[in-house]
Amino acid sequence: MTKVITLGDTIAVNYTGRHENGEVFETTKDRMPVKFTVGLGSLIRGFERAVIGMTVGEKKTVVIAPEDAYGPRRDEMLVDLPRGNVPADVDLAIGAVVILGDRDGNTMPATITAIEKEYVRLDLNHCMAGKTLIFDIEILEID
């Protein structure tokens, strides 16, 4: 009997991720396949749901809505950082990604969206928030 993927299975997959306009944002072609345990949340929810029920050798294309990927874009994730709080060695440029850190050592990337005299506007949304993603998935292995 053919094994089908269920929650808790560790699997290996090849995939290509594309935006709706066809632009590839990530692929495992010419690289190592991705190995993960289904249901642990190591990949986006829509991807993990899509592989459930698939079998070794099976291929499919799935369209994943923002809610099952990186979430919707949220305006409250736009923050204004006073210029005095920006370290002098940070190269300020629109579109540049800076890494923010908190007192506990946690880090988060932020994209500079505006540079004003008094503040720098940072977008803390994930770069793929609000985007529908398309994945071509091939199951290589089920452990």
Side-chain angles (χ1 to χ4, degrees):
M1 185 166 178
T2 303
K3 168 83 170 123
V4 298
I5 297 170
T6 60
L7 283 173
D9 287 337
T10 298
I11 66 172
V13 301
N14 271 330
Y15 69 86
T16 297
R18 296 177 276 122
H19 294 292
E20 289 181 291
N21 66 3
E23 175 190 358
V24 173
F25 61 82
E26 187 170 32
T27 185
T28 59
K29 287 182 180 178
D30 303 323
R31 293 192 346 214
M32 295 287 292
V34 171
K35 194 169 192 173
F36 69 100
T37 300
V38 180
L40 291 184
S42 55
L43 296 179
I44 58 173
R45 180 176 43 229
F47 191 102
E48 290 200 11
R49 286 182 185 161
V51 300
I52 294 174
M54 292 181 73
T55 60
V56 171
E58 188 174 350
K59 297 177 182 181
K60 77 169 155 180
T61 299
V62 295
V63 177
I64 301 175
E67 294 75 22
D68 288 325
Y70 294 95
R73 288 193 55 74
R74 297 183 359 225
D75 288 341
E76 64 270 19
M77 297 295 284
L78 299 174
V79 297
D80 293 338
L81 182 66
R83 286 289 293 260
N85 291 1
V86 178
D89 62 341
V90 172
D91 184 23
L92 295 179
I94 302 291
V97 176
V98 295
I99 304 299
L100 304 178
D102 66 15
R103 291 183 180 112
D104 297 325
N106 300 308
T107 60
M108 171 184 272
T111 303
I112 298 173
T113 61
I115 302 168
E116 303 296 337
K117 183 177 181 179
E118 299 295 322
Y119 66 89
V120 175
R121 177 157 296 146
L122 301 172
D123 185 350
L124 302 175
N125 284 289
H126 188 282
C127 64
M128 288 200 246
K131 295 183 180 179
T132 297
L133 306 177
I134 302 164
F135 285 93
D136 300 316
I137 302 170
E138 177 184 15
I139 305 301
L140 302 176
E141 176 185 307
I142 304 172
D143 285 341

